[in-house]
Amino acid sequence: MLIDVTAYAPATVANVGIGFDILGHTVEAVGDRVRVRRIEEPLVRIRTIGGIAGALPVEAARNTAGRAVQALHAAHRLGFGFELDIDKGIPLSSGLGGSAASAVAAVVAANALLEEPLGQLELLKFAMQGEIVASGSAHLDNIAPSLFGGLVLTVGIDNPRVKKIPVPPGLRCVLVHPHMLLGTREARAILKADVTRSDFVWQTANLAGFISGCYSNDLDMIRDSFNDVIIEPQRESLIPGFKDVKRCAMSAGALGCSISGAGPTVFAWSEIQYAEAVRGAMVAAFESHGLKSDCWISTIENYGARVVQA
Ligand code: HSE
């Protein structure tokens, strides 16, 4: 029987512009690792938090990874416990799904230590308990892609359906993370509780157009519908220079550009041949607003969380 397992979970772009709280995709090359060790005491504790850790709570109930494993532990009334070592690869408060990735990696590792491992949908629910600790609300658009991989749509919360959406070949996601912090709670707190009927029509049309464009490899449809008329306009002022960054990305050939999750990372989808130019344009635009940044070019259909060491 295994007693010590490490799992990796990738970063994610939540919302993907037009699918607030229901659509997200994985990002290559950035992610969190969690090592989980089986211990005799029937409890969950965090031993270390390393990497780009910042000031994360080590108390399990207040930590996304700890809370997620506590939920799994409580649901199965296990006679043993888990000790976690969390290695953060995803910058904090960056809009790249760091809290979700820690929760997902933790439940995937803990699951590998169970005599009868659970299915992914069950793990999704436990990881969501961790996400609630971080953002104060239940949403799956980081958790589900981080766990399942690729571009993922979720329908429902208590008994979610998870649907992988195909991505046309030759597309890349450009991500630019300006060096500033933006909390998910803060970025959710400013959102209005209602929408106008015309915005509702535009947004549903755009989401439907975007998804149908993905299924039919219709890049024009994706470009025309890659437009969040509800959330982005309310959040753009939280990110200095956002409008310029987006304008520059689009001029350099992007199919669409928006805020990754709650921000401040800005992402753009583009055909592979324009990806470098899009990245350069976005980085330069942030620089002109006095913000240094990190940037990545990622494929969109990637693997989800997995055990990397057992
Ligand atoms: N859908 C969420 C939001 C993602 O935009 O608030 C945050 O991680």
Side-chain angles (χ1 to χ4, degrees), residues 130 223 266 308:
R223 183 185 289 107
V266 178
V308 288

Side-chain angles (χ1 to χ4, degrees), residues 12-26 95-97 131 137 139-143 145 151-154 184 187-188 191 203 206-207 210-211 225-228 230-232 235 257-263 265 267 269:
T12 42
V13 171
N15 304 334
V16 198
I18 30 63
F20 181 67
D21 277 1
I22 58 170
L23 197 61
H25 71 74
T26 37
L96 290 167
E131 181 70 297
S137 74
H139 55 90
L140 291 167
D141 51 342
N142 293 111
I143 298 276
L151 176 63
V152 171
L153 172 74
T154 52
T184 301
R188 291 181 83 82
L191 299 176
Q203 194 85 349
N206 285 345
L207 179 59
F210 182 86
I211 289 179
S225 46
F226 212 127
N227 187 20
D228 169 12
I230 295 176
I231 306 298
E232 184 187 299
R235 282 181 169 169
C257 173
S258 188
I259 300 166
S260 173
T265 294
F267 79 100
W269 275 24

Side-chain angles (χ1 to χ4, degrees), residues 9 30 45 86 91 95 98 126 188 199 201 208 255-256 260 271 300 302:
V30 197
R45 66 174 177 240
I86 302 167
F126 296 129
R188 291 181 83 82
D199 280 354
V201 172
L255 286 178
S260 173
E271 291 171 83
I300 298 163
N302 300 304

Side-chain angles (χ1 to χ4, degrees), residues 64 67 127-139 143 185:
T64 57
R67 180 71 196 97
M128 191 174 73
Q129 298 304 314
E131 181 70 297
I132 293 171
V133 170
S135 69
S137 74
H139 55 90
I143 298 276
R185 279 174 197 268

Side-chain angles (χ1 to χ4, degrees), residues 70-307:
Q70 277 184 333
L72 180 153
H73 189 263
H76 291 84
R77 297 162 193 247
L78 300 172
F80 58 91
F82 298 112
E83 183 177 72
L84 279 57
D85 292 293
I86 302 167
D87 181 9
K88 296 290 302 175
I90 303 173
L92 293 186
S93 299
S94 61
L96 290 167
S99 52
S102 290
V104 167
V107 293
V108 167
N111 191 42
L113 298 175
L114 299 181
E115 273 151 38
E116 290 178 31
L118 310 166
Q120 281 187 308
L121 274 179
E122 279 179 279
L123 295 184
L124 188 73
K125 291 182 199 171
F126 296 129
M128 191 174 73
Q129 298 304 314
E131 181 70 297
I132 293 171
V133 170
S135 69
S137 74
H139 55 90
L140 291 167
D141 51 342
N142 293 111
I143 298 276
S146 186
L147 183 59
F148 287 80
L151 176 63
V152 171
L153 172 74
T154 52
V155 179
I157 289 282
D158 293 335
N159 292 299
R161 284 173 178 274
V162 175
K163 188 82 188 167
K164 277 187 145 189
I165 312 286
V167 178
L171 293 189
R172 292 292 181 271
C173 180
V174 179
L175 296 120
V176 182
H177 169 227
H179 292 175
M180 60 175 279
L181 300 176
L182 181 52
T184 301
R185 279 174 197 268
E186 176 194 350
R188 291 181 83 82
I190 63 155
L191 299 176
K192 287 187 227 143
D194 40 25
V195 296
T196 64
R197 186 166 62 185
S198 76
D199 280 354
F200 170 77
V201 172
W202 272 116
Q203 194 85 349
T204 46
N206 285 345
L207 179 59
F210 182 86
I211 289 179
S212 73
C214 284
Y215 272 100
S216 56
N217 289 338
D218 184 343
L219 299 191
D220 284 335
M221 178 62 113
I222 292 175
R223 183 185 289 107
D224 286 349
S225 46
F226 212 127
N227 187 20
D228 169 12
V229 299
I230 295 176
I231 306 298
E232 184 187 299
Q234 297 182 67
R235 282 181 169 169
E236 60 186 21
S237 61
L238 299 175
I239 305 169
F242 172 77
K243 273 191 174 158
D244 281 342
V245 173
K246 178 167 178 162
R247 188 177 42 76
C248 292
M250 298 309 290
S251 306
L255 286 178
C257 173
S258 188
I259 300 166
S260 173
T265 294
V266 178
F267 79 100
W269 275 24
S270 91
E271 291 171 83
I272 190 168
Q273 65 270 31
Y274 302 122
E276 282 294 349
V278 169
R279 167 163 69 177
M282 292 169 74
V283 168
F286 266 129
E287 237 167 50
S288 74
H289 286 267
L291 279 170
K292 296 226 171 304
S293 56
D294 299 314
C295 53
W296 303 271
I297 295 176
S298 172
T299 51
I300 298 163
E301 282 187 313
N302 300 304
Y303 294 109
R306 56 213 175 258
V307 167

